[in-house]
Amino acid sequence: MALLELAMQGLAVFGFILFFVLWLMHFMSIIYVRLHLHRKRSEVKQPFLQLAGVSLLKPLKGVDPNLISNLETFFTLDYPKYEILLCVQDQDDPAVDVWGKEKLESNPKINNLMPGYEGAKYGLVWICDSGIRVKPDTLTDLTHQMTEKVGLVHGLPYVADRQGFAATLEQVYFGTSHPRSYISANVTGIKCVTGMSCLMRKDVLDQAGGLVAFAQYIAEDYFMAKAIADRGWKFSMATQVAMQNSGSYSIGQFQSRMIR
């Protein structure tokens, strides 16, 4: 009986500590979002025309209802010097028909970015998923965060307004549980990065072996971030979220993403 009572007391203490930690993470995230995200800058860190050139690597697979509208936002970025490299897995992918085969690279699944990466002409590489939608000043915001000691700038994942229960479920998850952990981890110095939208220094990736060195990993975004951190570079979070706007979504797809 005494042993059971002791076990119950221990469980109660554990529950209280867990409750306290979760609320601490919650408040840390709220304060960080209030102070950092969607912040209007009163000054420009560097003249607009002197912003560094950026090579955007856009992996494509298939065509969902929002693909064209999402891609169009990247062609209307208000940025002086950038290139867009669209990559697919094979020449028969339906995404090829959207932009034409002469404009796309063809390669295996994870390595579909390799031809674009090797052909990138700028020192900053922006890897951004096909389901992401951006604002005209998104790239400017990312490069403003790429200061002298920063090697990687990432965006906090969120979800655009869409119709249906599955869309609401995704928005609730990416607006509550996920950002609480994601933000508090970054605030406390834990390297937590998702690859939905990442701006990185190409020369640092090259030092780690280039993109091909990470093709062996399922969570290649984590290992790219680790390689950059291991070389002494810091991370920074963009003031704008990485806005997911996929036109194809369901409860099953959401569950598969969480498992993966």
Side-chain angles (χ1 to χ4, degrees):
M1 190 68 180
L3 184 61
L4 177 61
E5 184 177 337
L6 183 62
M8 293 300 292
Q9 289 177 352
L11 185 62
V13 171
F14 174 77
F16 176 79
I17 294 175
L18 180 61
F19 176 82
F20 176 78
V21 170
L22 287 175
W23 272 102
L24 179 62
M25 293 168 60
H26 194 74
F27 282 119
M28 286 172 58
S29 300
I30 291 174
I31 294 171
Y32 182 86
V33 168
R34 180 66 182 86
L35 295 177
H36 183 74
L37 294 191
H38 303 291
R39 183 176 57 187
K40 291 185 178 180
R41 296 183 175 277
S42 58
E43 78 286 340
V44 177
K45 290 189 175 182
Q46 53 184 313
F48 184 72
L49 293 178
Q50 294 182 15
L51 291 170
V54 175
S55 295
L56 166 61
L57 305 184
K58 176 68 69 171
L60 303 178
K61 181 183 179 183
V63 177
D64 82 26
N66 292 343
L67 176 63
I68 295 179
S69 60
N70 288 335
L71 288 176
E72 284 176 345
T73 64
F74 289 87
F75 286 89
T76 57
L77 285 167
D78 185 16
Y79 197 81
K81 189 167 52 176
Y82 73 103
E83 61 177 350
I84 300 177
L85 302 169
L86 304 177
C87 307
V88 295
Q89 291 183 22
D90 61 70
Q91 292 286 8
D92 295 325
D93 194 297
V96 174
D97 295 330
V98 175
W99 299 105
K101 293 185 179 182
E102 74 280 1
K103 295 181 180 179
L104 298 170
E105 302 287 356
S106 177
N107 49 295
K109 186 175 182 180
I110 295 181
N111 290 330
N112 66 346
L113 292 172
M114 281 304 305
Y117 179 83
E118 293 173 353
K121 64 181 181 180
Y122 294 121
L124 296 179
V125 174
W126 181 19
I127 297 179
C128 190
D129 290 352
S130 61
I132 298 295
R133 185 182 72 194
V134 295
K135 297 179 180 179
D137 62 341
T138 296
L139 185 50
T140 303
D141 174 57
L142 286 167
T143 54
H144 278 168
Q145 305 300 320
M146 187 65 77
T147 54
E148 184 177 341
K149 297 182 179 180
V150 172
L152 183 152
V153 181
H154 56 109
L156 172 69
Y158 191 55
V159 184
D161 293 333
R162 298 168 298 174
Q163 298 296 319
F165 177 78
T168 302
L169 176 62
E170 285 194 3
Q171 196 166 52
V172 169
Y173 172 73
F174 283 103
T176 55
S177 176
H178 183 270
R180 177 178 61 195
S181 302
Y182 193 93
I183 294 173
S184 58
N186 280 279
V187 169
T188 55
I190 299 174
K191 306 303 181 185
C192 181
V193 173
T194 61
M196 295 180 191
S197 176
C198 283
L199 182 69
M200 296 170 281
R201 295 182 184 272
K202 189 173 185 294
D203 59 340
V204 180
L205 286 177
D206 288 339
Q207 293 171 16
L211 281 187
V212 69
F214 306 100
Q216 60 183 307
Y217 304 114
I218 294 177
E220 76 284 349
D221 48 0
Y222 166 79
F223 287 99
M224 284 192 287
K226 183 178 184 300
I228 293 173
D230 288 345
R231 284 160 177 77
W233 294 91
K234 295 182 178 180
F235 297 170
S236 180
M237 191 182 299
T239 67
Q240 296 184 19
V241 297
M243 187 64 74
Q244 304 170 78
N245 188 42
S246 174
S248 176
Y249 50 91
S250 67
I251 301 297
Q253 288 175 323
F254 176 74
Q255 289 178 325
S256 296
R257 291 180 64 189
M258 296 303 101
I259 293 172
R260 187 171 65 249

